[in-house]
Amino acid sequence: MFKRVKEATYLTAEKAWSYRAILRYFYIQHERMREFLFPEEIYDYLRQFDAFQEYTEDALHQDLDALEKWGNVIARQELGKSKTIEEFKKRRFRYQCTPYTVEFERMLVGLERIGENFGGSLERTQFERLYQSLLKIEETIQPDSSESDEECAQIWEDVTTYFRQIIKNTADYMAYINSEEVEERMQTEAFLVYKDQFTTYLRDFIIALQGTALQIQDLLLGITKEQRQLFFEKVIRHQGQTFRFEEIKEDPLEDLDGTWMSLMAWFLGNEHGESEYEMLQQRTNETIRRITRVVQRLGERHQHFRSRKKDYLHLAKWFDSMESVDEAHELSSVAFGVFHTRHFFIDHIPTDDIYVDVWDEQPMEHQTKPRIIKYKEKTRAGAIQSNQVKKEKMMQKHLEEKRREKKLIEQYIVENEIKVEQLPVIEAHVRKLLLSWIGKAMARKDRTIKTELGRKVKVELEKDRVILHAEDGVLDMPKATFQFLEEEVRQ
């Protein structure tokens, strides 16, 4: 595993220019299903390039000997079809490139195509294809399933192929959009032309990812270890039919089970932290926020250089038309704001509730520290205080609020339904709760979620518009119906 890879020597050798040209020709012919090449045809190929005009056949034989020593080509002596006495006396070889060489050249061709930038993409269809392949696995592990070993092996091949494509494409694309070159392009005015297309691309990917990934998570959790091993036994039986001279030492079941655990860790996470799926969501959302900040800065920069002469003249005429100073003061407060105002920022979070309004929060205290180099805060040792009583009070208060919210929301339920068009003037937090249910339901294919109240709700939206009246305002929204589903009692 950690041995020196001598087959890669030709890439950094002093005569890499000739070694690479020779092996590139071997790779091209290998892709055309020609395995054995004679030195004469290799020499004719090289002579078409300007760098090989002074290249001799003896130099070619020396290069082929070096490549054979490094394990890049295999020489086989050609005993028949000698046309002259010289050919009969001289040992004639034909050459075949090794698997290492083919993979090296295939990798180099791919690198040459992508250039110095990362490739990759955020393909929504790959997650859907992976989900469909996993659904087929779920069907094959059923007792009445009749899929053959070959069909099971093909399904597993599809799963691993789509999973590898997802890992490679998403990782490469994230590296691309976070590269220095993309960062520089985003700082230019030309980026404004592509911002909508770029944001739509990321947003559509996130929406499709959330819907499909949640289905994949449910499916992975529903397949037990015993069912998985029965499926893998069929795959191993089919793989064992492939004839090999060499003996395979690795345990195929351990290899297949390791790939499955990697698939589960990618979507569900492991004991070491969050899943790659959640990290991909966070990084994509952060990219959208970064685009928004860049566009805002570009807009401010554009606004800064725009002439506001006409605006100031219009404002001056407006002030001139005022009949009293009091009216001018009122206009000034709207146009320029309040003068001599100080704004303080307190690095303190009074509550974790995201639905609390600013005017409902308690005032925060700010302690101004003297700007003196030698100033140091006084510290003194203190005992550890138990906050158990305070925690219990906070817990009781939280549970009481939840019970009050549950009682409040239940008064709007009629025959296990809440219809927005039939609601009276509702409380502000009830409005926020209903909107949060709609947002969560839109991310699921069946539009069904489990609420904070512990009940399943199915949300149905219609094209018609209705007016929702709340204590904090009026909301124009689609006609929505919340159906509370009865829980099935498991035996």
Side-chain angles (χ1 to χ4, degrees), residues 196-244:
D196 293 335
Q197 182 181 356
F198 195 10
T199 307
T200 302
Y201 179 69
L202 296 175
R203 186 182 65 246
D204 292 347
F205 170 74
I206 279 291
I207 294 173
L209 173 64
Q210 289 175 340
T212 311
L214 292 176
Q215 293 174 324
I216 293 176
Q217 289 175 343
D218 293 339
L219 197 149
L220 291 174
L221 292 172
I223 298 177
T224 64
K225 184 177 181 181
E226 292 75 16
Q227 293 173 329
R228 188 170 72 237
Q229 289 185 346
L230 290 175
F231 173 78
F232 285 157
E233 288 175 1
K234 295 183 179 181
V235 177
I236 293 171
R237 278 200 302 268
H238 177 75
Q239 293 177 348
Q241 297 176 2
T242 304
F243 178 75
R244 296 283 185 186

Coordinates of all heavy atoms in Angstrom, one line a residue, residues 196-244:
D196 N -28.5 36.2 -10.8 CA -29.8 35.6 -10.7 C -29.8 34.1 -11.1 O -30.3 33.2 -10.5 CB -30.8 36.3 -11.6 CG -31.2 37.7 -11.1 OD1 -31.0 37.9 -9.8 OD2 -31.5 38.6 -11.8
Q197 N -29.0 33.9 -12.2 CA -28.8 32.5 -12.7 C -28.1 31.6 -11.7 O -28.5 30.5 -11.4 CB -28.1 32.5 -14.0 CG -27.9 31.1 -14.7 CD -27.1 31.2 -16.0 OE1 -26.7 32.3 -16.4 NE2 -26.8 30.1 -16.5
F198 N -27.1 32.2 -11.1 CA -26.3 31.5 -10.1 C -27.1 31.2 -8.9 O -27.1 30.0 -8.4 CB -25.1 32.3 -9.7 CG -24.0 31.6 -9.0 CD1 -24.0 30.2 -8.9 CD2 -22.9 32.2 -8.4 CE1 -23.0 29.5 -8.2 CE2 -21.9 31.6 -7.7 CZ -22.0 30.2 -7.6
T199 N -27.9 32.1 -8.4 CA -28.7 31.9 -7.2 C -29.8 30.9 -7.4 O -30.1 30.1 -6.6 CB -29.3 33.3 -6.7 OG1 -28.2 34.2 -6.6 CG2 -30.0 33.1 -5.4
T200 N -30.4 31.0 -8.6 CA -31.5 30.1 -9.0 C -31.0 28.7 -9.0 O -31.6 27.7 -8.6 CB -32.1 30.5 -10.3 OG1 -32.6 31.8 -10.2 CG2 -33.3 29.5 -10.7
Y201 N -29.8 28.5 -9.6 CA -29.2 27.2 -9.7 C -28.9 26.6 -8.3 O -29.3 25.4 -8.1 CB -27.8 27.3 -10.4 CG -27.0 26.0 -10.6 CD1 -27.5 25.0 -11.4 CD2 -25.9 25.8 -9.9 CE1 -26.8 23.9 -11.6 CE2 -25.1 24.7 -10.0 CZ -25.6 23.7 -10.9 OH -24.9 22.5 -11.0
L202 N -28.4 27.4 -7.4 CA -28.2 26.9 -6.0 C -29.5 26.6 -5.3 O -29.7 25.6 -4.6 CB -27.3 27.9 -5.2 CG -25.9 28.1 -5.8 CD1 -25.2 29.2 -5.0 CD2 -25.1 26.8 -5.7
R203 N -30.5 27.5 -5.4 CA -31.8 27.4 -4.7 C -32.5 26.2 -5.2 O -33.0 25.4 -4.4 CB -32.6 28.7 -4.9 CG -33.9 28.7 -4.1 CD -34.7 29.9 -4.3 NE -35.2 29.9 -5.7 CZ -34.9 30.8 -6.6 NH1 -34.0 31.8 -6.2 NH2 -35.3 30.8 -7.8
D204 N -32.6 26.0 -6.5 CA -33.3 24.8 -7.0 C -32.6 23.5 -6.5 O -33.3 22.5 -6.3 CB -33.3 24.8 -8.6 CG -34.2 25.9 -9.1 OD1 -34.9 26.5 -8.3 OD2 -34.1 26.2 -10.3
F205 N -31.3 23.5 -6.4 CA -30.6 22.3 -6.0 C -30.9 22.0 -4.5 O -31.2 20.9 -4.1 CB -29.1 22.5 -6.1 CG -28.2 21.5 -5.4 CD1 -28.2 20.2 -6.0 CD2 -27.6 21.7 -4.2 CE1 -27.4 19.2 -5.3 CE2 -26.8 20.7 -3.6 CZ -26.8 19.5 -4.2
I206 N -31.0 23.1 -3.7 CA -31.3 22.9 -2.3 C -32.7 22.4 -2.1 O -33.0 21.5 -1.3 CB -31.1 24.3 -1.5 CG1 -29.7 24.5 -1.2 CG2 -32.0 24.3 -0.2 CD1 -29.1 23.6 -0.1
I207 N -33.7 22.9 -2.8 CA -35.1 22.4 -2.7 C -35.2 21.0 -3.1 O -35.8 20.2 -2.4 CB -36.0 23.3 -3.6 CG1 -36.0 24.7 -3.1 CG2 -37.4 22.7 -3.7 CD1 -36.8 25.7 -4.0
A208 N -34.6 20.6 -4.2 CA -34.6 19.2 -4.7 C -33.8 18.3 -3.7 O -34.3 17.2 -3.4 CB -34.0 19.1 -6.1
L209 N -32.7 18.8 -3.2 CA -31.9 18.0 -2.2 C -32.7 17.7 -1.0 O -32.7 16.6 -0.5 CB -30.6 18.8 -1.9 CG -29.7 18.2 -0.8 CD1 -29.2 16.8 -1.2 CD2 -28.6 19.1 -0.5
Q210 N -33.4 18.7 -0.4 CA -34.1 18.5 0.8 C -35.2 17.4 0.7 O -35.4 16.6 1.5 CB -34.7 19.8 1.3 CG -33.7 20.8 1.8 CD -34.3 22.2 2.1 OE1 -35.4 22.5 1.7 NE2 -33.6 22.9 2.9
G211 N -35.9 17.5 -0.4 CA -37.0 16.5 -0.6 C -36.5 15.1 -0.8 O -37.0 14.2 -0.2
T212 N -35.5 14.9 -1.7 CA -35.0 13.6 -2.0 C -34.2 13.0 -0.9 O -34.3 11.8 -0.5 CB -34.2 13.6 -3.3 OG1 -34.9 14.3 -4.3 CG2 -33.9 12.2 -3.7
A213 N -33.3 13.9 -0.2 CA -32.4 13.4 0.8 C -33.2 12.8 2.0 O -32.8 11.8 2.6 CB -31.5 14.5 1.3
L214 N -34.3 13.5 2.4 CA -35.1 13.0 3.5 C -35.8 11.7 3.2 O -35.9 10.8 4.1 CB -36.2 14.0 3.8 CG -35.8 15.4 4.4 CD1 -36.9 16.3 4.5 CD2 -35.1 15.2 5.7
Q215 N -36.1 11.4 1.9 CA -36.7 10.1 1.5 C -35.6 9.1 1.6 O -35.8 7.9 2.0 CB -37.2 10.2 0.1 CG -38.5 11.1 0.0 CD -38.9 11.3 -1.4 OE1 -38.1 11.4 -2.3 NE2 -40.2 11.3 -1.6
I216 N -34.4 9.4 1.2 CA -33.2 8.5 1.3 C -32.9 8.1 2.7 O -32.7 7.0 3.0 CB -32.0 9.1 0.5 CG1 -32.3 9.2 -1.0 CG2 -30.8 8.2 0.8 CD1 -31.1 9.9 -1.7
Q217 N -33.0 9.1 3.6 CA -32.7 8.9 5.0 C -33.7 7.9 5.6 O -33.4 6.9 6.3 CB -32.7 10.2 5.8 CG -31.6 11.1 5.5 CD -31.7 12.4 6.2 OE1 -32.8 12.8 6.7 NE2 -30.6 13.2 6.3
D218 N -35.0 8.1 5.3 CA -36.1 7.2 5.8 C -35.8 5.8 5.3 O -36.0 4.8 6.0 CB -37.4 7.7 5.4 CG -37.8 9.0 6.1 OD1 -37.2 9.3 7.1 OD2 -38.7 9.7 5.6
L219 N -35.5 5.7 4.0 CA -35.3 4.4 3.4 C -34.1 3.6 4.0 O -34.1 2.4 4.3 CB -35.1 4.5 1.9 CG -35.3 3.3 1.0 CD1 -35.8 3.7 -0.4 CD2 -34.0 2.6 0.8
L220 N -33.0 4.4 4.2 CA -31.8 3.7 4.8 C -32.1 3.2 6.2 O -31.6 2.2 6.6 CB -30.6 4.7 4.8 CG -30.0 5.1 3.5 CD1 -29.0 6.2 3.6 CD2 -29.4 3.9 2.8
L221 N -32.8 4.0 7.0 CA -33.2 3.6 8.4 C -34.1 2.4 8.4 O -34.1 1.7 9.4 CB -33.8 4.8 9.1 CG -32.9 6.0 9.4 CD1 -33.7 7.1 10.0 CD2 -31.8 5.5 10.4
G222 N -34.9 2.2 7.3 CA -35.8 1.1 7.3 C -35.2 -0.2 6.9 O -35.9 -1.3 7.0
I223 N -34.0 -0.3 6.3 CA -33.4 -1.5 5.9 C -32.5 -2.1 7.1 O -31.6 -1.4 7.5 CB -32.5 -1.3 4.6 CG1 -33.4 -0.9 3.5 CG2 -31.8 -2.6 4.3 CD1 -32.7 -0.6 2.2
T224 N -32.8 -3.2 7.6 CA -32.1 -3.8 8.7 C -30.8 -4.5 8.2 O -30.6 -4.7 7.0 CB -32.9 -4.9 9.4 OG1 -33.2 -6.0 8.5 CG2 -34.2 -4.3 9.9
K225 N -29.9 -4.8 9.1 CA -28.6 -5.4 8.8 C -28.8 -6.8 8.2 O -28.1 -7.2 7.3 CB -27.8 -5.5 10.1 CG -26.4 -6.1 9.8 CD -25.6 -6.1 11.1 CE -24.2 -6.6 10.8 NZ -23.3 -6.6 12.1
E226 N -29.8 -7.6 8.7 CA -30.1 -8.9 8.2 C -30.6 -8.8 6.7 O -30.1 -9.6 5.9 CB -31.1 -9.6 9.0 CG -30.6 -10.0 10.4 CD -30.5 -8.8 11.4 OE1 -31.1 -7.8 11.0 OE2 -29.9 -8.9 12.4
Q227 N -31.5 -7.9 6.4 CA -32.0 -7.7 5.1 C -30.8 -7.3 4.1 O -30.8 -7.8 3.0 CB -33.1 -6.7 5.1 CG -34.4 -7.1 5.8 CD -35.4 -6.0 5.9 OE1 -35.0 -4.8 5.9 NE2 -36.7 -6.4 5.9
R228 N -30.0 -6.4 4.6 CA -28.9 -5.9 3.8 C -27.9 -7.1 3.5 O -27.4 -7.2 2.3 CB -28.1 -4.8 4.6 CG -27.1 -4.1 3.8 CD -26.6 -2.9 4.5 NE -25.8 -3.2 5.7 CZ -26.1 -2.8 6.9 NH1 -27.2 -2.1 7.2 NH2 -25.3 -3.1 7.9
Q229 N -27.6 -8.0 4.4 CA -26.7 -9.0 4.2 C -27.3 -10.1 3.2 O -26.6 -10.7 2.4 CB -26.3 -9.7 5.5 CG -25.4 -8.8 6.4 CD -25.0 -9.5 7.6 OE1 -25.5 -10.6 8.0 NE2 -24.0 -9.0 8.3
L230 N -28.6 -10.3 3.3 CA -29.2 -11.2 2.3 C -29.1 -10.6 0.9 O -28.8 -11.4 -0.1 CB -30.7 -11.4 2.6 CG -31.0 -12.2 3.9 CD1 -32.5 -12.2 4.2 CD2 -30.5 -13.6 3.7
F231 N -29.2 -9.3 0.7 CA -29.0 -8.7 -0.6 C -27.6 -8.8 -1.1 O -27.3 -9.1 -2.2 CB -29.5 -7.2 -0.5 CG -29.2 -6.5 -1.8 CD1 -30.0 -6.6 -2.9 CD2 -28.1 -5.6 -1.8 CE1 -29.7 -5.9 -4.1 CE2 -27.8 -4.9 -3.0 CZ -28.6 -5.0 -4.1
F232 N -26.6 -8.6 -0.1 CA -25.2 -8.7 -0.5 C -24.8 -10.1 -0.9 O -23.9 -10.3 -1.7 CB -24.4 -8.2 0.7 CG -24.4 -6.7 0.9 CD1 -24.1 -6.1 2.1 CD2 -24.7 -5.8 -0.2 CE1 -24.1 -4.7 2.2 CE2 -24.8 -4.5 -0.1 CZ -24.5 -3.9 1.1
E233 N -25.4 -11.1 -0.3 CA -25.1 -12.5 -0.6 C -25.4 -12.7 -2.1 O -24.7 -13.5 -2.8 CB -25.9 -13.4 0.3 CG -25.3 -13.5 1.7 CD -26.2 -14.3 2.6 OE1 -27.2 -14.9 2.1 OE2 -25.9 -14.4 3.8
K234 N -26.5 -12.2 -2.6 CA -26.8 -12.3 -4.0 C -25.8 -11.6 -4.9 O -25.4 -12.1 -5.9 CB -28.2 -11.8 -4.3 CG -29.4 -12.5 -3.6 CD -30.7 -11.9 -4.0 CE -31.9 -12.7 -3.4 NZ -33.2 -12.2 -3.7
V235 N -25.4 -10.4 -4.4 CA -24.4 -9.7 -5.2 C -23.1 -10.5 -5.2 O -22.4 -10.6 -6.3 CB -24.2 -8.3 -4.6 CG1 -23.1 -7.5 -5.4 CG2 -25.5 -7.5 -4.6
I236 N -22.7 -11.0 -4.1 CA -21.4 -11.8 -4.0 C -21.4 -13.0 -4.9 O -20.5 -13.4 -5.5 CB -21.1 -12.1 -2.6 CG1 -20.8 -10.8 -1.8 CG2 -19.9 -13.0 -2.5 CD1 -20.7 -11.0 -0.3
R237 N -22.6 -13.7 -4.9 CA -22.7 -14.9 -5.7 C -22.5 -14.6 -7.2 O -21.9 -15.3 -7.9 CB -24.1 -15.6 -5.5 CG -24.1 -16.4 -4.3 CD -25.3 -17.4 -4.4 NE -26.6 -16.8 -4.5 CZ -27.4 -16.4 -3.5 NH1 -27.0 -16.7 -2.3 NH2 -28.5 -15.8 -3.7
H238 N -23.1 -13.4 -7.6 CA -22.9 -13.1 -9.0 C -21.5 -12.7 -9.3 O -20.9 -13.0 -10.4 CB -23.9 -11.9 -9.4 CG -23.7 -11.4 -10.8 ND1 -24.2 -12.1 -11.9 CD2 -23.1 -10.3 -11.3 CE1 -23.9 -11.4 -13.0 NE2 -23.2 -10.3 -12.7
Q239 N -20.9 -11.9 -8.4 CA -19.5 -11.5 -8.6 C -18.5 -12.7 -8.6 O -17.5 -12.7 -9.3 CB -19.0 -10.5 -7.5 CG -19.7 -9.2 -7.6 CD -19.4 -8.2 -6.5 OE1 -18.7 -8.7 -5.5 NE2 -19.7 -7.0 -6.6
G240 N -18.9 -13.8 -7.9 CA -18.0 -15.0 -7.9 C -18.1 -15.7 -9.2 O -17.2 -16.6 -9.4
Q241 N -19.0 -15.4 -10.0 CA -19.1 -16.1 -11.3 C -18.1 -15.6 -12.3 O -17.8 -16.2 -13.4 CB -20.5 -16.0 -11.9 CG -21.6 -16.7 -11.1 CD -23.0 -16.5 -11.7 OE1 -23.1 -15.8 -12.7 NE2 -24.0 -17.0 -11.0
T242 N -17.5 -14.4 -12.0 CA -16.5 -13.8 -12.9 C -15.2 -14.6 -12.7 O -14.6 -14.7 -11.6 CB -16.2 -12.3 -12.5 OG1 -17.4 -11.6 -12.6 CG2 -15.2 -11.7 -13.5
F243 N -14.6 -15.2 -13.8 CA -13.5 -16.0 -13.8 C -12.2 -15.2 -13.5 O -12.0 -14.2 -14.2 CB -13.3 -16.8 -15.1 CG -12.1 -17.7 -15.1 CD1 -12.1 -18.9 -14.4 CD2 -11.0 -17.3 -15.8 CE1 -10.9 -19.7 -14.4 CE2 -9.9 -18.1 -15.9 CZ -9.8 -19.3 -15.1
R244 N -11.4 -15.6 -12.5 CA -10.1 -15.0 -12.2 C -9.1 -16.1 -11.9 O -9.4 -17.0 -11.3 CB -10.3 -14.1 -11.0 CG -11.2 -12.9 -11.2 CD -10.5 -11.8 -12.0 NE -11.4 -10.6 -12.0 CZ -11.1 -9.5 -12.8 NH1 -10.0 -9.5 -13.5 NH2 -12.0 -8.5 -12.8

